[in-house]
Amino acid sequence: MANLILILGDQLSHHLSALEGADPATDRIVMAEVHDEASYTNHHKKKLVLVFSAMRHFARELTGKGWQVAYYRYDPDSPHKDLLSVVQEQVLSLSPDKLVITECGEWRLDNQIRKWFDALGVPVEIRPDSRFIAGKAVFARWAEGRKQLRMEFFYREMRRKTGLLMTPGDEPEGGHWNYDADNRRKWKGQPPAPAPFRVEPDDITREVITLVDGHFRDHFGTTDDFHFAVTADRAREALDHFIDFALPCFGDYQDAMADQEDWLFHAILSPYLNCGLLDPMEVCEAAERAWYAGQAPLNAVEGFIRQIIGWREFVRGIYWLKMPEYASENRLDNDRSLPWFYWSGETGMHCLHRTIDSTRRNGYAHHIQRLMVTGNFALLAGIKPEDICDWYLAVYADAYDWVELPNTLGMVMHADGGYLGSKPYAASGKYIHRMSDYCGQCRYNVNHTSEEDACPFNALYWHFLDRHKDDFSRNPRMVMMYRNWQRQDPDHRNATLERANWLLDHLDEL
């Protein structure tokens, strides 16, 4: 045979660079469900079902196209606990000319693979991941010489490169690059939120559900009501469903949260994008066509495209530019452990209970729930970055280290000193009240700050500002907040700080 081609669980694309120029008659593909990749963090059960089932379906598609596929199903008693062991067996059996692989998405595994030559005795060819618009080298060139990186300027470059929502004169459609200011409406029940797209599990998925329930019973979440797509064809149906039923209202309500709605108008396409079932450009082009056809407003389409070719590409670029040192950043010197209610959902703070509960059930929460509820609380409470980063990596079906780490450590926790974001995303309970109906169901009073029934977010917010005044008081975007703090009555400020100190000493009781 000629080459052995390794395909990972987040590389489920027939256009993968590792397959370019390959010959089904002579090359062999290997795929494997191994213990080390399934267990290096407490992966949500639905994520394990999604990845294992999607891998099995993808392997079946490859076989149907004439490829020879060596597929290793998960077996707790298998001697092959890691990918290297699997590849070693295939190399010994087949004596390939070389191993070919598309660069992986996690520094941990990438670092291992780059040392495989010594163990395998055959060349290891690592190809760039062409599924991304900005390759590592492209991003590094853009970032060179910049003290701070701002997504907005990078996003504009990606718009120009792709031509998405650009006029023939190379200007942004509508005259503006960004319509984020139009995307902050509170949802009050109308228009009605569409039912989520769902796929009933087939025999392969049901078999995987049984496997996960049996061998990963201690992992976070549940396999109940699994309805994710596990093939590219069904993922494209999920895309069509979003374009037809949710995209028209996505822009207005993308920051809204609702007590009785898990999904609202969100796409829930990130699990498919991040494992390879959907291509970013096909998703963006579908949204763009909807605007040109008059099916969706510009603020919705631009906001959606910005999340994909803006934030998604931007955080990947930062990840590969700054790893591995980036993972240990903790510029705010946070040292508190993650409260247990992040795993159990058992807290009187209704916004946190509701977000964590839906995360447990679905393996998903939308970006404002992640940033301004679970993330905001971790920031205000001074949680250790590694604790909250590990939690985000574990609980979401779309979480992979390259996308989770910069979003959490940089955007949520501001632990990188402002490299990713110009200011911390800190907010009191008033923000959550403005963007949701959670507060009406809560045992805490969002209008109180220092009282025993006061919303914990309020006192913790002012405590955060006070303890980090040396870090942020001169930040132009935070000057007004510090002025408001200084204008408060000294007795009220002291009572607020006293309340916050009590909360910080009793986080697991809230």
Side-chain angles (χ1 to χ4, degrees):
M1 66 172 297
N3 299 324
L4 180 65
I5 302 169
L6 175 64
I7 296 180
L8 305 176
D10 60 349
Q11 298 179 342
L12 308 182
S13 168
H14 291 286
H15 303 290
L16 195 68
S17 62
L19 294 172
E20 293 177 5
D23 185 350
T26 58
D27 296 330
R28 174 75 62 87
I29 292 172
V30 59
M31 301 175 66
E33 306 163 8
V34 294
H35 177 271
D36 283 8
E37 297 306 309
S39 303
Y40 71 87
T41 192
N42 184 18
H43 293 297
H44 196 292
K45 291 175 184 175
K46 277 190 170 69
K47 180 181 180 180
L48 290 172
V49 175
L50 169 64
V51 174
F52 282 1
S53 181
M55 288 175 67
R56 294 183 185 190
H57 281 88
F58 188 69
R60 185 172 67 174
E61 291 174 10
L62 290 169
T63 301
K65 290 176 177 288
W67 290 97
Q68 302 175 70
V69 181
Y71 194 93
Y72 290 69
R73 294 191 172 201
Y74 182 84
D75 179 356
D77 299 321
S78 170
H80 305 296
K81 302 298 184 185
D82 57 23
L83 289 169
L84 175 58
S85 175
V86 168
V87 174
Q88 282 178 317
E89 181 174 80
Q90 289 294 308
V91 168
L92 286 172
S93 172
L94 303 170
S95 299
D97 293 337
K98 62 183 175 182
L99 173 69
V100 178
I101 182 172
T102 294
E103 59 188 3
C104 66
E106 302 200 350
W107 189 90
R108 169 193 60 84
L109 183 58
D110 182 77
N111 188 49
Q112 294 174 19
I113 291 173
R114 292 182 186 278
K115 301 173 183 176
W116 279 7
F117 173 77
D118 291 338
L120 295 176
V122 298
V124 179
E125 180 183 339
I126 302 174
R127 297 179 178 177
D129 194 340
S130 56
R131 297 175 299 166
F132 290 89
I133 298 162
K136 296 175 183 178
V138 170
F139 187 87
R141 286 195 297 271
W142 175 83
E144 188 176 2
R146 300 173 189 256
K147 291 183 179 180
Q148 290 184 319
L149 306 186
R150 293 293 170 257
M151 189 280 293
E152 179 64 26
F153 302 116
F154 171 77
Y155 165 57
R156 294 179 187 185
E157 292 299 315
M158 294 300 99
R159 287 274 294 276
R160 292 188 180 100
K161 179 175 182 178
T162 61
L164 289 165
L165 294 180
M166 299 295 291
T167 69
D170 201 35
E171 296 294 328
E173 293 284 10
H176 300 284
W177 291 101
N178 187 315
Y179 290 86
D180 192 48
D182 299 332
N183 295 345
R184 299 168 184 170
R185 295 181 62 182
K186 183 173 181 175
W187 186 71
K188 299 180 180 180
Q190 294 295 328
F197 177 81
R198 60 180 303 119
V199 177
E200 292 302 317
D202 61 8
D203 289 344
I204 292 176
T205 301
R206 287 194 294 270
E207 184 178 19
V208 173
I209 289 172
T210 299
L211 181 152
V212 170
D213 283 338
H215 297 297
F216 299 91
R217 61 176 65 90
D218 294 331
H219 277 230
F220 181 77
T222 175
T223 63
D224 294 346
D225 192 37
F226 181 89
H227 60 267
F228 285 117
V230 292
T231 67
D233 286 344
R234 301 312 295 268
R236 291 188 188 100
E237 292 177 16
L239 170 62
D240 292 342
H241 181 274
F242 168 67
I243 298 294
D244 291 341
F245 298 108
L247 179 60
C249 295
F250 169 77
D252 288 347
Y253 302 108
Q254 68 171 281
D255 286 3
M257 299 173 283
D259 192 57
Q260 297 302 314
E261 290 287 344
D262 289 341
W263 315 100
L264 281 179
F265 302 97
H266 288 272
I268 313 102
L269 299 175
S270 51
Y272 312 135
L273 284 165
N274 291 353
C275 75
L277 295 181
L278 285 179
D279 177 78
M281 281 302 296
E282 74 172 311
V283 171
C284 291
E285 287 167 352
E288 183 188 47
R289 287 194 298 271
W291 180 67
Y292 283 121
Q295 294 177 261
L298 186 56
N299 71 309
V301 174
E302 185 279 321
F304 178 69
I305 288 176
R306 179 168 14 102
Q307 289 190 1
I308 297 174
I309 69 169
W311 267 116
R312 185 174 185 267
E313 297 278 338
F314 182 67
V315 298
R316 179 180 183 263
I318 287 179
Y319 180 85
W320 287 110
L321 193 65
K322 292 297 182 180
M323 284 295 283
E325 294 81 8
Y326 194 78
S328 60
E329 289 274 27
N330 185 8
R331 302 288 184 88
L332 299 182
D333 295 323
N334 291 347
D335 59 4
R336 290 185 180 85
S337 298
L338 190 72
W340 179 247
F341 62 71
Y342 270 75
W343 298 107
S344 69
E346 296 173 0
T347 172
M349 291 175 284
H350 189 69
C351 58
L352 278 161
H353 163 73
R354 186 68 179 81
T355 298
I356 295 167
D357 178 65
S358 63
T359 299
R360 180 192 62 81
R361 289 183 287 104
N362 301 321
Y364 181 85
H366 71 69
H367 66 282
I368 293 298
Q369 292 172 312
R370 301 188 198 196
L371 179 63
M372 301 308 300
V373 180
T374 51
N376 184 29
F377 188 85
L379 173 67
L380 300 181
I383 303 304
K384 290 182 288 188
E386 61 264 35
D387 280 11
I388 189 66
C389 287
D390 286 347
W391 184 79
Y392 274 88
L393 184 61
V395 303
Y396 295 120
D398 58 8
Y400 297 86
D401 201 49
W402 65 266
V403 67
E404 177 278 323
L405 183 66
N407 267 310
T408 307
L409 188 143
M411 190 177 186
V412 170
M413 299 302 292
H414 206 76
D416 61 2
Y419 187 77
L420 186 147
S422 60
K423 79 174 188 67
Y425 282 87
S428 69
K430 291 181 180 179
Y431 175 87
I432 296 169
H433 182 53
R434 185 167 67 249
M435 297 307 303
S436 78
D437 58 357
Y438 290 150
C439 298
Q441 319 297 321
C442 191
R443 84 180 191 199
Y444 295 104
N445 191 327
V446 71
N447 296 312
H448 291 173
T449 300
S450 59
E451 297 86 345
E452 288 188 7
D453 70 340
C455 171
F457 280 90
N458 293 338
L460 290 175
Y461 171 72
W462 293 116
H463 191 281
F464 172 83
L465 292 184
D466 188 76
R467 73 179 184 265
H468 291 300
K469 54 182 176 288
D470 290 342
D471 297 304
F472 303 126
S473 61
R474 290 181 294 277
N475 185 314
R477 298 184 64 191
M478 301 181 72
V479 168
M480 185 61 69
M481 292 179 274
Y482 278 97
R483 285 178 182 167
N484 291 341
W485 176 235
Q486 291 303 317
R487 287 171 182 161
Q488 294 180 28
D489 179 81
D491 290 341
H492 180 69
R493 288 207 309 267
N494 289 333
T496 297
L497 296 177
E498 184 177 343
R499 165 71 172 163
N501 284 324
W502 184 91
L503 293 168
L504 293 171
D505 289 338
H506 298 83
L507 290 179
D508 280 312
E509 302 171 27
L510 301 181

